[in-house]
């Protein structure tokens, strides 16, 4: 196989399963090549990805080491994508009672979900989560996309206990937006030992749901290493959790009923 073909085959394996650790032999597949040659190929791909800001390839030492592709996204593409979504979400017809926004149609588009998952994974890979946790139901597609780019399992916190989940732990909490008591459940079998959880959701107003998920996971001695949401509201400015990533923000609604959504700019 020519080098160009070998590079394409290696790149496809890395892109098909981001964040998965491959040995050089696994990465080469059925192609026979010297280890030094494969190392040069990896270095070439790494340089290309870092130059284009599409991600990076890490070399992990040790007996269980190998190479791992971590996704990225050029800032210009990220902002252009978020600005397009912000414009679509700012249409007055999307305003719902209680300060919510209708966005189910947008979050039903595969390319949108893929890009959001990629952005969250690119930002949160640094905290090294080994599980993604979300609350049913609207956050599930975003969490699946994120888990795919982090190569970690997904755990769903349920609003109702299902017998198919087995024994579960439950917690009551007061919704910050609706001011009513709600309950959430998580299966005792779902979370791995020494779990490092990234909580992903579609929308955050006061942060009561995210706070409740953290408290529920604490009952399993799970370390919550981060929280990421697609959209947050400007008000209340002081959320119930302080450490979180948001991609878009809903600014205060205008007197004429219009809404304004803008990207959240990160340093």
């Amino acid at each position: 196989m020519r080098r160009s073909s070998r590079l394409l085959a290696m790149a496809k394996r890395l892109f098909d399963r981001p964040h998965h650790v491959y040995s050089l032999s696994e990465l080469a597949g059925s192609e026979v090549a010297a280890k030094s040659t494969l190392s040069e190929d990896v270095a070439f791909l790494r340089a290309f990805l870092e130059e284009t800001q599409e991600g990076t390839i890490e070399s992990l030492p040790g007996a269980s080491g190998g190479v791992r592709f971590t996704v990225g996204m050029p800032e210009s593409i990220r902002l252009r994508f978020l600005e397009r979504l912000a414009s679509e979400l700012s249409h007055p017809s999307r305003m719902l009672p209680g300060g919510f926004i209708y966005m189910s149609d947008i979050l039903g588009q595969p390319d949108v979900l893929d890009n959001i998952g990629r952005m969250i994974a690119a930002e949160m890979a640094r905290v090294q989560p080994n599980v993604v946790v979300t609350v049913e139901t609207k956050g599930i597609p975003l969490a699946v996309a994120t888990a795919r780019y982090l190569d970690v399992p997904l755990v769903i916190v349920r609003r109702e206990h299902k017998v198919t989940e087995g024994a579960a732990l439950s917690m009551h909490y007061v919704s910050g937006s609706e001011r009513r008591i709600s309950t959430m459940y998580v299966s005792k079998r779902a979370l791995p030992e020494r779990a490092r959880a990234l909580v992903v959701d579609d929308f955050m107003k006061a942060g009561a749901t995210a706070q409740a998920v953290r408290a529920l996971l604490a009952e399993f001695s799970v370390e919550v290493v981060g929280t990421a949401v697609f959209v947050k509201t400007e008000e209340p400015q002081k959320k119930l959790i302080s450490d979180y990533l948001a991609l878009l923000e809903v600014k205060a609604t205008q007197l004429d009923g219009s809404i304004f959504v803008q990207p959240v700019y990160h340093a």
Side-chain angles (χ1 to χ4, degrees):
M1 178 181 285
R2 294 186 306 173
R3 189 190 186 203
S4 59
S5 299
R6 187 173 66 247
L7 285 169
L8 287 172
M10 293 171 68
K12 184 180 186 305
R13 289 189 185 92
L14 291 169
F15 297 164
D16 281 349
R17 195 171 180 186
H19 227 69
H20 179 73
V21 178
Y22 289 94
S23 66
L24 286 178
S25 60
E26 289 175 325
L27 197 57
S30 60
E31 299 306 315
V32 178
K35 185 175 181 180
S36 58
T37 299
L38 295 177
S39 295
E40 290 176 2
D41 290 344
V42 169
F44 178 85
L45 290 173
R46 180 187 294 115
F48 172 78
L49 290 168
E50 292 179 351
E51 180 181 354
T52 58
Q53 299 181 342
E54 294 287 349
T56 187
I57 298 177
E58 303 172 80
S59 294
L60 307 175
S64 60
V67 294
R68 176 174 61 195
F69 167 58
T70 302
V71 298
M73 181 177 287
E75 187 64 13
S76 59
I77 294 178
R78 175 185 179 276
L79 289 178
R80 188 159 60 245
F81 172 75
L82 290 178
E83 285 168 357
R84 175 174 70 82
L85 293 186
S87 177
E88 292 183 36
L89 290 171
S90 294
H91 196 279
S93 64
R94 292 187 175 274
M95 187 67 185
L96 298 174
F100 296 97
I101 297 177
Y102 176 74
M103 53 189 183
S104 295
D105 57 338
I106 288 179
L107 292 181
Q109 300 173 23
D111 65 315
V112 171
L113 291 171
D114 186 76
N115 278 312
I116 294 172
R118 182 177 175 182
M119 281 188 281
I120 294 175
E123 180 68 25
M124 303 305 294
R126 56 183 170 78
V127 298
Q128 300 180 333
N130 61 10
V131 64
V132 168
V133 177
T134 192
V135 179
E136 64 176 358
T137 55
K138 292 183 179 179
I140 294 176
L142 294 177
V144 169
T146 303
R148 184 250 170 180
Y149 277 109
L150 290 171
D151 195 41
V152 299
L154 170 67
V155 172
I156 300 173
V157 176
R158 304 288 182 181
R159 301 288 189 181
E160 296 182 1
H161 178 52
K162 298 181 181 296
V163 66
T164 53
E165 296 288 314
L169 190 68
S170 65
M171 175 166 289
H172 302 292
Y173 71 102
V174 179
S175 169
S177 56
E178 300 175 8
R179 305 306 302 172
R180 62 183 176 84
I181 297 177
S182 300
T183 309
M184 56 177 58
Y185 305 82
V186 66
S187 169
K188 291 185 177 181
R189 299 185 181 186
L191 290 157
E193 293 185 11
R194 296 183 294 277
R196 294 172 54 83
L198 170 63
V199 179
V200 174
D201 208 351
D202 64 323
F203 191 85
M204 182 167 70
K205 192 169 185 180
T209 300
Q211 183 189 52
V213 170
R214 289 189 176 201
L216 180 61
L217 294 177
E219 295 296 320
F220 286 90
S221 299
V222 172
E223 180 183 3
V224 176
V225 295
T227 300
V229 297
F230 176 46
V231 177
K232 70 165 184 172
T233 58
E234 181 183 36
E235 298 294 339
Q237 293 186 3
K238 186 175 178 58
K239 310 296 186 187
L240 294 174
I241 63 171
S242 57
D243 181 21
Y244 63 90
L245 167 73
L247 301 181
L248 296 174
E249 180 182 61
V250 182
K251 304 290 286 185
T253 56
Q254 307 299 315
L255 294 177
D256 61 359
S258 63
I259 53 180
F260 178 61
V261 181
Q262 70 175 19
V264 176
Y265 300 93
H266 302 283

